[in-house]
Amino acid sequence: MTYDAQNGSDLPGVLRRSEGEGPYGDPDVDSAHDFAGDTYDFYLEYNDRDSIDGNGMSIVSSVHYYLLGWCPNAGWTDSQMIYCDGFPQAQDVVGHELTHGVTDHESGLAALRRVWSYRRVFF
């Protein structure tokens, strides 16, 4: 699923495209959606892996993301990909960010990172 954050940081934003739908007409929406699908297909074909978590997790992308008027380019949030303007139009960027999700789920580092965050808050 591909969302539009509408130049803000409220995630996931407004749904613009779901699986099986044709192009929306926004190059960032369409590229993020299509390239995430290509990356999914790659993982399935070459690694027998069903999505980010290996169990069919929904792939969620948000485009036109800005945090307090600042654009961090692209990233993985522990649950979805985010992209500032133009970044999802590069297939390698989309594949890279999705692979951060695969790494988090395979390595267990996402859970460990949350524990470290809680320690910083409470200790």
Side-chain angles (χ1 to χ4, degrees):
M1 294 178 288
T2 306
Y3 294 83
D4 183 346
Q6 300 180 307
N7 299 319
S9 60
D10 290 334
L11 295 175
V14 178
L15 182 63
R16 297 294 189 210
R17 194 165 163 201
S18 294
E19 185 64 28
E21 293 182 352
Y24 175 72
D26 177 326
D28 283 348
V29 168
D30 294 330
S31 295
H33 193 84
D34 292 339
F35 293 155
D38 292 345
T39 305
Y40 171 89
D41 291 343
F42 172 85
Y43 272 108
L44 186 62
E45 182 175 344
Y46 292 99
N47 298 288
D48 197 31
R49 183 180 191 86
D50 184 8
S51 195
I52 293 168
D53 66 350
N55 294 308
M57 176 182 176
S58 293
I59 296 175
V60 178
S61 300
S62 294
V63 301
H64 306 303
Y65 177 84
Y66 283 84
L67 180 61
L68 302 173
W70 179 73
C71 175
N73 70 52
W76 168 253
T77 70
D78 289 337
S79 62
Q80 72 164 85
M81 283 81 63
I82 55 170
Y83 303 99
C84 296
D85 294 348
F87 283 92
Q89 295 181 45
Q91 189 171 25
D92 63 323
V93 171
V94 175
H96 175 95
E97 298 307 335
L98 195 146
T99 298
H100 278 299
V102 171
T103 302
D104 277 356
H105 282 275
E106 271 306 300
S107 68
L109 292 176
L112 186 57
R113 193 168 35 248
R114 283 190 289 274
V115 169
W116 289 334
S117 295
Y118 295 144
R119 277 192 65 132
R120 279 198 311 264
V121 171
F122 295 112
F123 297 102

